[in-house]
Each structure stands twice: as C-alpha cells, then as structure tokens.
Amino acid sequence: MIGGIRNRASMKKHQKHQPKHVDPMKTDSKRKEREKHHHCVSNREVLSKRDYVVLKTLGYGSFSIVKLARHQCKKPDLVAVKIISLSKVPVTYQKHFLSRELEFWPKLDHPHIVKFCETFEELERVYIVLEYVCNGDMMSYLQKFGALPEAKSKKYISQVCKAVDYLHSQNITHRDLKLENLLLDQNYNIKITDFGFVTSNKKCELSQTYCGTKSYASPEILRGEPYDPRKADTWAIGVILYIMGTSRMPFDESRGIKRIIEDQKRLNLSWGKTQKISRDCRHLLKRLFTYAYMSRPSVHDILLNKWFHSEANREKHVEYKERREIKEKTEEVDNIDSKDEVKQTKEKSSAPN
C-alpha cells in the first residue's frame, strides 16, 4: 500500500515538472495580434509622443521609410526621420550594418556630412532622426540639369573629398559613395548621407565584406578579393566625378562583371561632346581609376591635385599680372613726374634774376 502511494506521488511530481504542450496555432495567433497592434500604432503617434509632427513622406528604402517632420521645441525644427522595420530586416543586416550605422554616425561632425540628431526604438521599429537636407540628391540634380560645368564639378568633388578625408582621419570608411547618397542643402552644398555600410578601419586591414553598388565598385571588389576600403572610396569618387562631367556612367554594368573588369583595366574612357573636360581633370580621373589599388591615390592626395588649384593659381597669376602692370604704370608716371620736376628746377636755376 505504501509503495502504491509512493508511486502515485512520484507520478504527480513527474507530471508537475513536464513542460506544457504549446499550441503553435495559438502562438502564431498571438504573434499576429502583436504585429497587428504594432501596425495600428502609427509612426505619427510614436513621433508625436516625442514632440515631432509628421509632415509628409520623403522616400522609401528596402527596409525603411523616410518622413519629413517638425520638432515643436527644438531648432532647427525640420528633420528627416528614417524608420526601419526590424521585422523586415535580416538578422545579419541588423547585427553587422545597422548596429555600425548607429554606432558611428552620431560621432561624426563635418559641414558636408548629414548630422545625426537622435535615435530610439519602439514597437519593433528603429527611428533615426537626421538633419533635413532640402534640395534632393545629386542623381536627381544631374537628371534634371545634365552634365555640370567643370567649375561646379570641382566645387562638389572638393566637398565630397573633404568629407571623406575627414572620415578616413577618424578611421572610418563609407563604402557606398554614390550620387544618391550625396544630398544638396539650401545653398546647394554637398551633404553625404547613408552610413549603412560604414566600417571602422583602425588597423588599416583589408576588408572582405563585398557591399556597395556595382556601378561604383572598384576592380578588386568585383573580382571578389580582399580590398582596402579607403581606396575603394577613392574609386567611387572617380565614378562620381566622371558622371558629373559627362552625364554618363564610365563603365557599362549591363555587360556583366567580367567585361566591366576588362573595361576598368583597359580604361578607354569616352569624354562626350556636351562638356569640355580639361586636361587636368582627365589626368585626375585616370589617377582615380588606377587599376591596382595599392597605387591608387588616397583622398588626401586627391585634394592636393593641381586640378583643384589650377584655376585658383590662374586667378592669382592674373591678379599678380594686373598688380604688376599697375605698378609699372605708376612707376612710369612717377618717373615722368620726377623728370618734369628736374627739368623745371633746371629751367628755374638757368633763368636770369
């Protein structure tokens, strides 16, 4: 009898510690209810709790939507809010790319980089509040106006290089420089945006993460080899400069990767007929498109290139020449005046008293 009681007690104890059966249908239903609740709570409601008033939608990304909003207390009041739905974002992207973007972007402070204001997470969405840049991106600008005069290309490329040189000085590489990521502010100055593929490069190690856009990718990336991300940024700047000057891509990506690599190595660039590309600009482009990345110039080297300073030097030369001519004329007038004075003195001394 005692043995029977023990057996029944042990059976109850065993049943007590057994995990309860989970109905997958109920779990799925709860998940759908939660997602439905999250969906019902609009971005407008979430942002209003933080004193942001949503004005309109600016654009869409693969996993995100960008809204224009106004802060009711802070200045400047207009901001762009990038809203990323975590339920749509692959785990690898969250871990390797989104986390880096949120780590590095807030630390950046440069006049030609979009300012990071704040970030917060709510209802499985990440909200990134950024400086609002009002005149669209460089791709839209070129589609509207076509190839740029060289002086304007020089201004924009100088601004891009200064921003990227700053990034590299902070041991950060962008890895996705392209026209769509160059925004234009109210004064039509460049602001670099989108740091989704940014990486730290403190030890100057080669990267093996193949990211970015194929049209702007350097040969070593297309070959699938380890690459120097700084020199990859340099190559992308070359693509941007070429498009600004000619309104066309330097390499036809529809030909396939193998042929693109061949074209990059051959480097028979077409300069077009609509704009005159100066010799200095062509020389710089050929340097930027150096096939072997170890021989490719750094962004700091680019800023020292004579293309950026040739016009300024010519202006200085003209200014110097004008000053010289004015000085020579002044000296000539002074000489004439002094000769007249000497002549008058002699005449006075020889005149009878």
Side-chain angles (χ1 to χ4, degrees):
M1 186 73 180
I2 296 171
I5 293 170
R6 279 180 183 169
N7 287 340
R8 284 197 294 273
S10 63
M11 284 176 64
K12 285 181 180 178
K13 188 177 180 182
H14 178 69
Q15 288 171 357
K16 186 178 179 181
H17 290 284
Q18 272 190 328
K20 291 182 180 179
H21 175 68
V22 178
D23 187 346
M25 295 294 290
K26 287 184 179 178
T27 306
D28 190 52
S29 177
K30 285 181 180 179
R31 182 179 60 79
K32 286 181 178 178
E33 282 179 19
R34 190 171 67 252
E35 287 179 357
K36 187 178 179 182
H37 169 69
H38 289 176
H39 183 72
C40 290
V41 180
S42 69
N43 291 317
R44 192 179 293 272
E45 290 175 84
V46 172
L47 289 165
S48 68
K49 288 191 293 183
R50 294 175 181 264
D51 296 323
Y52 289 106
V53 178
V54 176
L55 301 177
K56 65 177 182 177
T57 299
L58 293 174
Y60 297 88
S62 303
F63 314 116
S64 64
I65 184 170
V66 182
K67 299 279 187 180
L68 175 65
R70 173 179 281 114
H71 198 281
Q72 294 176 315
C73 306
K74 296 177 184 176
K75 292 287 182 181
D77 56 345
L78 287 179
V79 293
V81 186
K82 183 179 179 181
I83 306 162
I84 302 167
S85 176
L86 294 177
S87 61
K88 297 177 182 177
V89 177
V91 176
T92 50
Y93 181 87
Q94 291 184 42
K95 184 179 178 182
H96 297 292
F97 299 111
L98 181 58
S99 60
R100 286 180 192 164
E101 186 171 29
L102 296 177
E103 178 187 356
F104 293 118
W105 203 345
K107 300 174 185 176
L108 302 177
D109 184 17
H110 191 275
H112 299 302
I113 292 175
V114 171
K115 285 182 172 55
F116 188 104
C117 302
E118 67 168 319
T119 184
F120 53 91
E121 185 177 335
E122 193 165 330
L123 302 176
E124 296 187 13
R125 302 173 203 152
V126 174
Y127 293 79
I128 302 174
V129 183
L130 304 166
E131 170 190 11
Y132 173 56
V133 185
C134 63
N135 278 316
D137 61 57
M138 183 56 72
M139 173 65 86
S140 303
Y141 186 81
L142 289 175
Q143 286 172 343
K144 185 176 180 180
F145 296 105
L148 303 179
E150 194 165 308
K152 193 169 277 191
S153 295
K154 192 177 295 186
K155 169 195 167 183
Y156 288 139
I157 291 297
S158 173
Q159 292 177 352
V160 171
C161 287
K162 285 172 183 175
V164 176
D165 188 43
Y166 163 78
L167 289 175
H168 291 184
S169 73
Q170 304 296 308
N171 299 310
I172 293 170
T173 47
H174 190 278
R175 300 199 300 179
D176 196 22
L177 293 170
K178 57 183 178 181
L179 294 173
E180 296 92 324
N181 288 339
L182 305 180
L183 304 184
L184 293 164
D185 69 10
Q186 60 184 1
N187 298 314
Y188 286 90
N189 289 314
I190 290 286
K191 297 270 188 177
I192 295 179
T193 190
D194 197 346
F195 289 83
F197 290 132
V198 70
T199 187
S200 177
N201 195 32
K202 287 182 180 178
K203 298 179 181 178
C204 298
E205 295 174 340
L206 297 182
S207 180
Q208 297 188 59
T209 303
Y210 304 104
C211 53
T213 307
K214 187 169 72 172
S215 307
Y216 297 81
S218 60
E220 57 275 16
I221 291 177
L222 294 179
R223 291 196 304 266
E225 298 172 357
Y227 64 95
D228 182 342
R230 296 169 190 250
K231 298 300 181 71
D233 280 353
T234 298
W235 182 281
I237 290 170
V239 176
I240 291 166
L241 173 56
Y242 183 87
I243 300 170
M244 284 182 177
T246 64
S247 196
R248 65 175 74 182
M249 298 298 296
F251 310 105
D252 184 1
E253 63 176 298
S254 67
R255 285 165 54 83
I257 290 177
K258 190 175 179 181
R259 288 193 175 182
I260 292 174
I261 294 170
E262 289 173 0
D263 291 343
Q264 289 174 335
K265 196 169 187 177
R266 201 176 295 115
L267 205 63
N268 291 328
L269 296 172
S270 171
W271 302 108
K273 297 177 181 178
T274 55
Q275 292 285 351
K276 184 180 178 183
I277 309 296
S278 70
R279 186 182 298 176
D280 286 344
C281 185
R282 295 186 189 198
H283 182 264
L284 174 59
L285 276 163
K286 286 181 179 178
R287 288 203 67 206
L288 292 168
F289 289 142
T290 301
Y291 188 79
Y293 73 85
M294 292 184 73
S295 302
R296 199 175 302 147
S298 68
V299 176
H300 187 72
D301 291 335
I302 298 169
L303 284 167
L304 299 175
N305 189 275
K306 67 178 182 177
W307 180 64
F308 288 107
H309 308 288
S310 56
E311 190 173 328
N313 289 339
R314 278 197 294 272
E315 288 175 0
K316 284 181 182 177
H317 178 71
V318 170
E319 189 181 340
Y320 172 78
K321 192 176 178 183
E322 287 175 351
R323 284 203 309 269
R324 184 74 181 267
E325 287 175 355
I326 292 168
K327 187 180 178 183
E328 286 174 354
K329 285 179 181 178
T330 306
E331 287 175 351
E332 189 177 337
V333 170
D334 290 343
N335 288 335
I336 292 170
D337 290 343
S338 62
K339 285 178 182 178
D340 288 343
E341 285 177 10
V342 170
K343 186 178 179 182
Q344 288 172 8
T345 305
K346 285 182 178 178
E347 286 175 352
K348 283 180 182 179
S349 61
S350 60
N353 293 327

